[in-house]
């Protein structure tokens, strides 16, 4: 480890990324981890790249708060985006966090998710049939992005005919979470929150009038949920439904897209998985580790705390670099190697602690069925052009993955 960070590392700024970063951020992450694992950013916050530091922060919710009211106030001003994000469970501490999370977890139980498998297989096979009929396809548009929107639409009971705009709303809202969103990105995000909230207010009213089975329907569960005699307000309900749709959408699209690109890139891994499909579970974990769909997380310190050799004052904005932590050699031997049989695999792709992803079972199921069905039915699928990436630092994935399937 070096004592003094080299100039590019000392000056590294998430809001002014160097050329080539989106293609391959990992050499920079590695240099940060080795030279400045708790890196002071120009705006006064810090960026963490070691697994142990990220895990410690995730697990200590009292010292590292998820409440982003101050940051989002500065970033979004009084706006629909501000209202939305400051009401979502992921950007709140207990008690609101617990009140939303409890019923959500109950409706997303492993049993409820397992029951979704047959419908998921049918959906995936239908998409593969359509792609095989065409031959030349975009694995994002025609496949990866088409799956989560249907699955989460089912989970919230959004009628089929209403699902058209969901993906664009979701992309617009999440796009505004980038470290330096443009005025246009903010305007699109604000318009999407307004349209989405209007739509969901109507859906909530319908569901109140005609509740569904609370064992299966997340929305009914959230409407009926009570904590200490308090029910969620209309506003909390609507904003958290927007969040579920967003949380499970782009992340899962990117797991499927990134996984298919990895199997196209590493022919040996693809051949091994085809020969030994029982490696599917560990292969999905390795895809989550190697190209994590969600690369960054954030917390704010509530008290003075020391991380590495840096003292942080209360109110410091902390960015956890999941993508870097997941290639930390102190946890993952030979971390740059894509090893579909890697065991153990303590990646942080789903975060950790009280906010750990509520959709892990669902995301893993969607990833496994989508990737394994495509591999089994189209073992020779291959990319026909260089894929184009979404130029985003927080959500890592492709905009297009042009391919040929047979
Ligand atoms: C590959 C797919 C996915 C990835 C990589 C992912 C990643 C994450 C991460 C890193 C967090 C923690 C955020 C933090 O602590 O700051 C999180 C939270 C969350 N995720 Fe996921 N997620 C995925 C899929 C899903 C799906 C399918 C759903 C929904 C059905 C979902 C619902 C949630 C919810 C509700 C939270 C907030 C939990 C809380 O604050 O207690 N996610 N996710």
């Amino acid at each position: 480890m070096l004592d003094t960070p080299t100039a590019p590392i000392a000056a590294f700024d998430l809001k002014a990324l160097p050329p080539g970063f989106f293609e391959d951020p990992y050499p920079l992450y590695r240099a940060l981890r080795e030279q400045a694992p708790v890196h002071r950013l120009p705006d006064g916050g810090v960026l963490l790249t070691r697994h142990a530091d990220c895990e410690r922060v995730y697990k200590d919710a009292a010292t590292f708060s998820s409440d982003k009211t101050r940051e989002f106030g500065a970033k979004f001003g009084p706006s629909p985006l501000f209202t939305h994000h400051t009401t979502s469970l992921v950007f709140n501490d207990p008690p609101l966090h617990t009140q939303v999370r409890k019923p959500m977890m109950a409706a997303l139980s492993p049993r409820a998710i397992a029951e979704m498998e047959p419908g998921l297989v049918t959906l995936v096979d239908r998409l593969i049939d359509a792609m095989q009929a065409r031959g030349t396809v975009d694995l994002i548009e025609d496949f990866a992005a088409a799956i989560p929107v249907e699955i989460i639409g089912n989970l919230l009971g959004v009628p089929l005919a209403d699902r058209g705009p969901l993906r664009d709303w979701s992309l617009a809202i999440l796009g505004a979470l980038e470290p330096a969103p443009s005025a246009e990105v903010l305007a699109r995000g604000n318009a999407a929150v307004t349209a989405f909230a209007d739509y969901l207010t109507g859906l909530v009213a319908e569901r109140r009038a005609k509740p569904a089975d609370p064992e299966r329907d997340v929305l009914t569960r959230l409407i009926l949920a009570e904590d200490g005699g308090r029910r969620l307000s209309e506003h909390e309900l609507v904003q958290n439904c927007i969040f579920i749709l967003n949380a499970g959408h782009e992340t899962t699209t990117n797991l499927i897209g990134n996984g298919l690109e990895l199997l196209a890139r590493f022919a040996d891994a693809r051949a091994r998985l085809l020969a030994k499909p029982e490696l599917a579970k560990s292969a999905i974990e390795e895809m989550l580790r190697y190209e994590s769909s969600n690369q960054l997380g954030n917390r704010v310190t509530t008290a003075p705390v020391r991380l590495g050799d840096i003292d942080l004052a209360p109110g410091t904005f902390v960015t956890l670099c999941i993508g870097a932590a997941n290639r930390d050699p102190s946890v993952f031997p030979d971390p740059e190697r894509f090893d579909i049989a890697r065991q153990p695999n303590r990646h942080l792709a789903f975060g950790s602690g009280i906010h750990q992803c509520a959709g892990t079972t669902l995301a893993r199921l969607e990833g496994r069925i989508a990737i394994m069905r495509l591999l089994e039915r189209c073992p020779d699928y291959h990319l026909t052009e260089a894929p184009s990436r979404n130029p985003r630092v927080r959500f890592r994935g492709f905009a297009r993955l042009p391919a040929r399937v047979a």
Side-chain angles (χ1 to χ4, degrees), residues 233-286:
S233 69
E234 188 79 6
H235 169 68
E236 289 164 343
L237 200 57
V238 165
Q239 299 301 331
N240 278 287
C241 287
I242 295 181
F243 177 72
I244 301 180
L245 276 153
N246 292 345
H249 185 247
E250 191 175 4
T251 46
T252 314
T253 299
N254 288 346
L255 163 61
I256 299 168
N258 292 349
L260 292 174
E261 190 274 338
L262 281 167
L263 294 179
R265 202 189 319 167
F266 297 105
D268 53 341
R270 184 207 297 225
R272 192 173 176 201
L273 190 53
L274 268 167
K276 289 183 114 188
E278 62 274 22
L279 288 178
K281 280 195 176 161
S282 60
I284 298 298
E285 296 311 302
E286 183 67 346

Side-chain angles (χ1 to χ4, degrees), residues 137-222:
V137 300
D138 173 5
L139 289 173
I140 300 299
E141 189 69 32
D142 300 324
F143 191 62
I147 298 167
V149 79
E150 293 302 324
I151 295 302
I152 311 234
N154 290 345
L155 211 64
L156 285 177
V158 175
L160 285 176
D162 296 350
R163 292 183 191 179
L166 295 184
R167 178 166 178 232
D168 284 345
W169 285 339
S170 171
L171 291 177
I173 295 168
L174 291 181
L177 282 177
E178 282 293 289
S182 65
E184 194 200 333
V185 166
L186 290 176
R188 237 183 291 134
N190 278 314
V193 173
T194 305
F196 212 157
D198 282 351
Y199 172 71
L200 282 171
T201 304
L203 194 69
V204 168
E206 280 172 31
R207 205 60 54 84
R208 276 193 205 285
K210 207 170 154 216
D213 175 3
E215 290 301 316
R216 310 253 169 325
D217 183 65
V218 179
L219 188 48
T220 305
R221 243 310 156 175
L222 290 174

Side-chain angles (χ1 to χ4, degrees), residues 90 97 101 104 243 247-248 251 294 299 349-351 354-355 357-359 363:
V90 77
H97 169 256
R101 185 170 170 107
M104 200 182 274
F243 177 72
T251 46
N294 192 346
R299 295 294 188 265
F350 291 122
I354 65 166
H355 287 276
C357 179

